[in-house]
Amino acid sequence: MYGRAESEKVLGTRLFFMLVLVAVDALVLILIMTGLSELEYGARIPGALGTLGLAIVCNLLAVYLFGGYVLRRQLSFIHIPAQMGAATGLASVMILVVGYAFKLVELDPLLWRTVFLYGMLLFGCWLVLSRLVLAYTIRWFTVIPTWYVWGDSTIIDTIRKDVEAIYGEQDVQTYSGTNTTQEVAGVIALPGVLTEDKAEQVVALRMSGIRVFTLEEYYEKFLYRLPVRLMSNSWFATSADFGLLHQEIPLRIKRTIDVLGALIGLLLLGWLMLLISVLVKLQDKGSAIYKQRRVGVNGRSFSLYKFRTMVVDAEKDGAQWTAKGDSRITWLGRYLRAARLDELPQLFNVLRGDMSLIGPRPERPSFVAQLEKKIPFYSYRHAVKPGITGWAQVIYPYGASEEDAERKLEYDLYYIRHFTLMLDMFIVLRTLRVVLFGKGR
């Protein structure tokens, strides 16, 4: 049975190449900035280590936020320069803000006009050229993988759509038993195929070096979710992993990070929360903080706090799903939701122990009662504490329907099964991108 080791291998490979690219970018930036400083002013590296570190952190963070560490086959002479140019601009602003705030500009030659401007320009050129070359290399030397679907061919379009949403262009075909090629990525055996009379054919495929996956294995390994319509109680009963339920030491570390993260967040963002409270209050004289009952760990309900983003008495007719372009959302509420700033008061829920920083998003009791009747294994998400952000929130776009709830459950179950502190860190970084670019709901 496919498990955590396979998933971590896939994610680990992608992380390895990302870290190599990060290291190369850092080295290039060091060479550019210190080289210019030495040529222009004769300043040595030891006198500029602090500012150099600042420049590295700001640039690498900006490149990440603009998607510069995502390996893609698409070669775009418009998108890549615009993307990397914006990253360089953001990094420059961050460096100058910190530099002027701590008066580093007056002391360090790395921030003097000539070195800084030419340095950032050269690094921006490196980013554009390196990403264009990387995209061209990937496009030239990699073959579009072919996936064969063995069984009901009507599901091919769904599989192709799901996998291309993550990996780009893919070749998905019906498996006839004789049409495999050397470039085949694998065979997906649909339910009803892996029977005793076809076992010999499956073994022959695997002995020839072709990977064969059940549909649920394929979705878990390559799409990072557990397809609940294909699962059974016996699968959950015998499946290993589910690390978020059994790893005592990582769970203690996670709780410690939750408390420290919530405290730091309140200290750093307290002024912003106060400003938002005043703006919400001035908007329509209603309360700034909205309290709502949500379902937490083990099905226990708790009071969740958030900034009010809807008109007063928005649910006077009862609980409703939030629709796209919902007229009940105020003008300020749209901005708060887009940047997910309406969730900031939930830092208090984290301190109280009702929530974690990362986990499945908590739902309302009335919605939970409906969804548990219609979606298999929906109650399993309540085995862990809900979170302010989560795997489903950074992977799947905002939705407000039963179909969306089912898809998000699949991502939530994947997170519970494959939890690691590294995965939590990845979710935090993806959340920063959502907040910065306003991709919330």
Side-chain angles (χ1 to χ4, degrees):
M1 181 182 293
Y2 161 69
R4 171 180 298 185
E6 288 285 334
S7 176
E8 290 184 347
K9 184 178 179 181
V10 174
L11 292 174
T13 301
R14 302 177 83 183
L15 180 61
F16 171 76
F17 285 107
M18 174 181 167
L19 292 177
V20 169
L21 195 53
V22 167
V24 172
D25 282 346
L27 179 60
V28 170
L29 183 60
I30 291 172
L31 294 175
I32 289 174
M33 300 301 285
T34 56
L36 286 174
S37 179
E38 181 70 25
L39 289 173
E40 186 71 17
Y41 303 108
R44 300 291 178 181
I45 297 176
L49 286 179
T51 309
L52 186 58
L54 171 66
I56 292 172
V57 171
C58 291
N59 274 283
L60 297 184
L61 177 60
V63 173
Y64 168 78
L65 291 174
F66 280 90
Y69 294 116
V70 178
L71 304 180
R72 297 189 179 95
R73 297 183 74 255
Q74 291 82 359
L75 181 62
S76 171
F77 291 95
I78 297 177
H79 177 72
I80 291 178
Q83 186 183 40
M84 294 301 96
T88 305
L90 175 62
S92 300
V93 171
M94 292 191 293
I95 293 169
L96 289 175
V97 167
V98 176
Y100 276 104
F102 292 93
K103 299 183 178 180
L104 298 176
V105 175
E106 302 172 8
L107 303 173
D108 202 321
L110 288 183
L111 292 182
W112 295 351
R113 184 175 301 172
T114 303
V115 172
F116 181 73
L117 290 179
Y118 282 115
M120 294 304 294
L121 179 61
L122 286 174
F123 186 65
C125 291
W126 156 258
L127 290 174
V128 172
L129 290 174
S130 62
R131 269 51 182 186
L132 286 173
V133 170
L134 183 63
Y136 180 82
T137 303
I138 294 175
R139 189 179 184 87
W140 182 262
F141 289 101
T142 59
V143 178
I144 297 176
T146 299
W147 287 96
Y148 291 103
V149 178
W150 191 1
D152 184 4
S153 61
T154 59
I155 200 174
I156 284 182
D157 288 340
T158 299
I159 294 175
R160 181 184 294 110
K161 179 182 177 181
D162 287 342
V163 72
E164 287 185 348
I166 295 179
Y167 297 102
E169 186 179 358
Q170 302 281 302
D171 181 20
V172 183
Q173 303 180 15
T174 300
Y175 176 66
S176 64
T178 59
N179 59 341
T180 56
T181 67
Q182 291 183 345
E183 293 80 21
V184 63
V187 174
I188 306 168
L190 301 185
V193 168
L194 297 179
T195 56
E196 187 64 31
D197 60 317
K198 294 181 180 178
E200 185 176 341
Q201 193 172 355
V202 172
V203 172
L205 282 172
R206 286 182 165 164
M207 290 299 102
S208 67
I210 296 176
R211 297 178 296 175
V212 180
F213 301 95
T214 64
L215 189 57
E216 54 265 44
E217 288 174 340
Y218 173 77
Y219 269 79
E220 184 176 8
K221 181 171 183 177
F222 296 99
L223 304 184
Y224 311 118
R225 68 182 202 249
L226 301 183
V228 292
R229 297 290 177 181
L230 303 175
M231 317 301 282
S232 64
N233 269 314
S234 60
W235 185 92
F236 283 98
T238 58
S239 178
D241 301 327
F242 287 97
L244 199 50
L245 304 178
H246 308 299
Q247 300 181 43
E248 183 176 350
I249 294 178
L251 284 176
R252 289 181 180 178
I253 296 175
K254 181 177 173 67
R255 177 56 186 163
T256 301
I257 293 174
D258 284 342
V259 173
L260 292 176
L263 289 173
I264 293 172
L266 290 171
L267 287 174
L268 295 179
L269 301 174
W271 65 272
L272 179 59
M273 295 174 68
L274 180 61
L275 175 62
I276 293 174
S277 298
V278 173
L279 292 176
V280 174
K281 191 74 175 176
L282 292 176
Q283 178 181 240
D284 56 12
K285 308 301 181 183
S287 61
I289 302 294
Y290 186 65
K291 186 168 68 172
Q292 195 175 69
R293 299 301 290 178
R294 296 291 178 101
V295 177
V297 62
N298 297 324
R300 295 193 298 267
S301 64
F302 67 97
S303 295
L304 175 141
Y305 304 108
K306 61 189 306 182
F307 287 119
R308 184 172 57 83
T309 57
M310 291 188 174
V311 297
V312 178
D313 297 327
E315 294 189 333
K316 58 184 178 181
D317 297 325
Q320 306 173 43
W321 291 102
T322 303
K324 186 176 182 179
D326 200 312
S327 60
R328 297 173 300 161
I329 301 176
T330 64
W331 65 269
L332 177 60
R334 296 193 188 281
Y335 291 105
L336 295 179
R337 283 171 170 256
R340 295 196 178 165
L341 295 177
D342 59 322
E343 315 287 1
L344 285 178
Q346 289 159 39
L347 292 172
F348 291 107
N349 287 114
V350 174
L351 289 177
R352 290 177 51 180
D354 298 325
M355 298 177 64
S356 174
L357 291 176
I358 299 170
R361 284 296 295 161
E363 269 298 352
R364 303 174 67 171
S366 57
F367 292 157
V368 169
Q370 299 174 27
L371 296 172
E372 286 184 343
K373 295 177 181 178
K374 298 180 179 181
I375 302 176
F377 316 115
Y378 190 82
S379 62
Y380 288 11
R381 69 197 302 273
H382 301 138
V384 300
K385 287 183 180 180
I388 296 179
T389 186
W391 184 239
Q393 280 62 51
V394 300
I395 297 295
Y396 190 72
Y398 178 74
S401 66
E402 292 178 3
E403 181 180 354
D404 293 324
E406 179 175 323
R407 182 58 54 84
K408 287 193 172 186
L409 170 65
E410 294 178 341
Y411 287 113
D412 288 335
L413 293 177
Y414 178 93
Y415 172 75
I416 296 171
R417 175 165 158 81
H418 295 282
F419 161 76
T420 62
L421 295 175
M422 184 62 71
L423 180 57
D424 272 7
M425 181 59 67
F426 178 80
I427 293 171
V428 169
L429 293 174
R430 287 292 292 264
T431 300
L432 289 176
R433 292 181 63 182
V434 170
V435 171
L436 180 65
F437 296 107
K439 294 182 179 179
R441 72 280 185 267

